[in-house]
Amino acid sequence: MKEMLLAAQRDGYGVGAFNIVNEQTARACIALAEEMRAPMLLQTSMVPLSVYGPEGMMDLLRPLAEKARVPVAVHLDHCTDPDFVKRCIDAGFTSVMMDASKLPPEENIAVTRDVVDYAHARGAVVEGELGAIVKAKDDLAARQSGEGAVSLEAARDYMARTGVDAFAPAVGTAHGLYRGEPKLNFELVRAIVALGMAPLVVHGGTGLSDENFRKLIAAGASKINISTAIKIAYYEGIAGYIQAHPDEKEQPLAIDQAAIAAVQDVVRRHIALFGTAHRV
Ligand code: 13P
């Protein structure tokens, strides 16, 4: 992941990190990455991992990633448990997110540093979070009042002391569907990127306007996470197909294809918007 993000930072584009939940979503993303000649970050969060387990997930993803005709990295999204993060590294994740952002800053730094040491000794890289990247549905007021915001000094201190390979500061985005127009702190993105310490990650990509994506990338953001939009597309792809074909009960793969096509529409749009196409 780190090489992909450094190349993106150098050449001024973004890399979408798409949350996959199963084989269909993973195949949908990889096929599109190949078609568009885009480097691909596949990430998976704790819910799919509670079903597959880290080892089962890697049994599924490793052959797909290795056979892909473009670089594909597999990343663990938000995990608050350092032992589970280490288990994922042992299972073959080459990139992980240690999310200790709910802890007081000193504890966040200590927990993250420990995971960074473990990861680096095994050739893996770590994303860390500082500040509060909240859920969009319950927290517009808090974000707009600047609660959970990160100072440049705190960001510098966090990156220096943890040694993270990618940095996810709270810059005004939130996970899930926005209820209003988010207020993004482009100045902070620019200032953190100018420190030149670690590529910057934007969480909460679903629902941001094209203009906000462009401004974030212009400010130097390298990794942009997209999850909710993929899940909604998957659901709607299936629901729409079943509604339109109530009598095709013996064609389960057609349902999968509908889900894949819907997910690919979302991923295609973001790869094009982030400028990731034709980079490999
Ligand atoms: P969205 O679900 O808002 O796209 O956020 C994705 C994300 O940041 C995953 O970590």
Side-chain angles (χ1 to χ4, degrees), residues 19 43 77-78 174-176 203-206 225-228:
N19 280 68
Q43 58 185 19
D77 195 19
H78 291 281
H175 297 112
H203 282 250
T206 297
N225 291 357
I226 309 286
S227 177
T228 303

Side-chain angles (χ1 to χ4, degrees), residues 1-2 4-6 8-10 13-17 41 127-128 130 133 150 152 155 159 164-173 185-203 215-225:
M1 175 173 92
K2 195 170 185 181
M4 282 185 202
L5 298 186
L6 290 175
Q9 202 171 45
R10 185 192 63 222
Y13 61 94
V15 182
L41 287 173
E127 174 183 334
L130 186 66
I133 302 174
V150 170
L152 187 59
M159 286 189 279
V164 287
D165 303 280
F167 178 48
V171 294
T173 57
N185 191 339
F186 300 105
E187 251 340 289
L188 183 61
V189 172
R190 244 186 300 278
I192 291 173
V193 171
L195 294 173
M197 297 174 80
L200 189 136
V201 183
V202 172
H203 282 250
K215 282 162 84 174
L216 283 166
I217 292 168
S222 317
K223 173 177 182 270
I224 301 176
N225 291 357

Side-chain angles (χ1 to χ4, degrees), residues 28 109 122 124 134 158 170 177 182 201-202 217 247:
I109 289 171
R122 289 158 183 80
V134 293
Y158 176 87
L177 295 177
V201 183
V202 172
I217 292 168
D247 299 325

Side-chain angles (χ1 to χ4, degrees), residues 18-263:
F18 300 103
N19 280 68
I20 56 98
V21 297
N22 58 11
E23 179 171 349
Q24 289 84 342
T25 44
R27 284 187 185 278
C29 289
I30 293 176
L32 201 57
E34 290 180 329
E35 181 188 312
M36 298 179 79
R37 307 222 342 261
M40 168 72 46
L41 287 173
L42 288 185
Q43 58 185 19
T44 185
S45 64
M46 293 305 281
V47 175
L49 288 175
S50 70
V51 174
Y52 283 81
E55 298 79 14
M57 185 59 90
M58 282 313 297
D59 286 347
L60 169 67
L61 296 181
R62 189 185 284 105
L64 298 179
E66 283 176 359
K67 276 191 211 134
R69 283 176 278 119
V70 292
V72 174
V74 178
H75 173 77
L76 167 69
D77 195 19
H78 291 281
C79 181
T80 56
D81 175 359
D83 291 332
F84 194 85
V85 176
K86 291 175 183 175
R87 183 175 153 197
C88 288
I89 294 168
D90 292 342
F93 284 72
T94 55
S95 181
V96 292
M97 176 176 191
M98 179 66 238
D99 178 1
S101 61
K102 297 249 175 352
L103 299 176
E106 286 299 317
E107 284 174 54
N108 181 354
I109 289 171
V111 169
T112 306
R113 174 81 243 178
D114 173 58
V115 167
V116 167
D117 289 341
Y118 189 91
H120 287 180
R122 289 158 183 80
V125 296
V126 179
E127 174 183 334
E129 174 173 328
L130 186 66
I133 302 174
V134 293
K135 285 199 169 40
K137 66 177 163 44
D138 36 53
D139 227 298
L140 187 66
R143 276 180 293 119
Q144 295 201 327
S145 68
E147 193 183 295
V150 170
S151 74
L152 187 59
E153 260 328 298
R156 188 202 314 263
D157 183 55
Y158 176 87
M159 286 189 279
R161 290 169 61 201
T162 57
V164 287
D165 303 280
F167 178 48
V171 294
T173 57
H175 297 112
L177 295 177
Y178 292 101
R179 288 207 172 146
E181 186 61 27
K183 265 206 190 138
L184 308 188
N185 191 339
F186 300 105
E187 251 340 289
L188 183 61
V189 172
R190 244 186 300 278
I192 291 173
V193 171
L195 294 173
M197 297 174 80
L200 189 136
V201 183
V202 172
H203 282 250
T206 297
L208 291 181
S209 65
D210 291 5
E211 192 198 348
N212 276 339
F213 279 130
R214 285 197 195 97
K215 282 162 84 174
L216 283 166
I217 292 168
S222 317
K223 173 177 182 270
I224 301 176
N225 291 357
I226 309 286
S227 177
T228 303
I230 292 180
K231 292 170 188 156
I232 292 174
Y234 187 87
Y235 180 95
E236 288 183 346
I238 290 175
Y241 188 86
I242 290 176
Q243 217 171 22
H245 304 86
D247 299 325
E248 289 187 19
K249 293 184 183 154
E250 291 168 23
Q251 299 296 340
L253 290 179
I255 299 173
D256 280 358
Q257 290 309 316
I260 287 170
V263 167

